[in-house]
Amino acid sequence: MIALAVAVLATGAAVAHEGAMGVIAERMTMMKEMADSMKTVGEMLNGRKAFDARVAQESVASLHKNCHQSREQFTSGTNEHASRASPAVWEKPAEFQAEMEKFDAAVKTLVAASEAGSLDEMRLPFKVVGQSCSGCHEQFRSAE
């Protein structure tokens, strides 16, 4: 599940960045940074990297910061430019906002778990964040 969440976030990022400018490029950069944060923590949870509580906390803090900033990157007018954001973002703004709020709540829970400094306490909140990422991408990210 962790690997799937990281893969969903990272797939196609390099291709999607080609030619992107302005808020679209900023949004794509934030998404990549969130994927990198998830990858760092995911590798610790999977045992591919040694657990480092400080690095985990920094990664989760970065995820939280980007989570809040990314919400502002989907403003009207940004749907007219090439990106992987689905038209559904602007066609169903209430549903998109609900997904972003769900993501924010999941990330806040992960932040609290990371502050405890326990890898085991981070497992379930990390899984919920990954599910939130995947759920939003399924509804609001174009496959192309």
Side-chain angles (χ1 to χ4, degrees):
M1 180 57 99
I2 293 167
L4 175 63
V6 172
V8 167
L9 287 169
T11 301
V15 174
H17 284 266
E18 290 181 24
M21 298 183 336
V23 71
I24 307 300
E26 291 172 18
R27 182 169 69 214
M28 290 176 173
T29 297
M30 283 185 199
M31 292 293 176
K32 182 179 180 329
E33 288 174 4
M34 286 193 282
D36 291 344
S37 296
M38 291 290 288
K39 179 180 179 189
T40 297
V41 175
E43 287 177 342
M44 288 182 204
L45 290 168
N46 283 336
R48 285 187 228 136
K49 279 188 176 179
F51 178 64
D52 182 323
R54 183 187 55 77
V55 171
Q57 288 173 352
E58 288 171 358
S59 294
V60 171
S62 175
L63 179 67
H64 189 237
K65 179 187 103 182
N66 283 321
C67 166
H68 285 277
Q69 290 178 347
S70 70
R71 295 174 92 170
E72 298 172 19
Q73 301 298 318
F74 291 93
T75 58
S76 63
T78 63
N79 58 327
E80 300 298 321
H81 304 284
S83 81
R84 299 216 38 211
S86 165
V89 169
W90 296 275
E91 293 166 357
K92 301 176 182 178
E95 290 91 337
F96 180 70
Q97 183 65 27
E99 284 296 324
M100 292 298 279
E101 288 174 10
K102 187 170 132 182
F103 178 60
D104 181 53
V107 171
K108 284 179 181 174
T109 301
L110 181 58
V111 167
S114 74
E115 290 171 353
S118 167
L119 188 63
D120 286 334
E121 287 191 36
M122 293 176 63
R123 289 189 192 284
L124 181 58
F126 181 84
K127 181 179 177 180
V128 173
V129 169
Q131 290 169 338
S132 180
C133 291
S134 296
C136 190
H137 284 187
E138 286 172 12
Q139 296 179 66
F140 298 105
R141 182 177 177 192
S142 296
E144 299 173 19

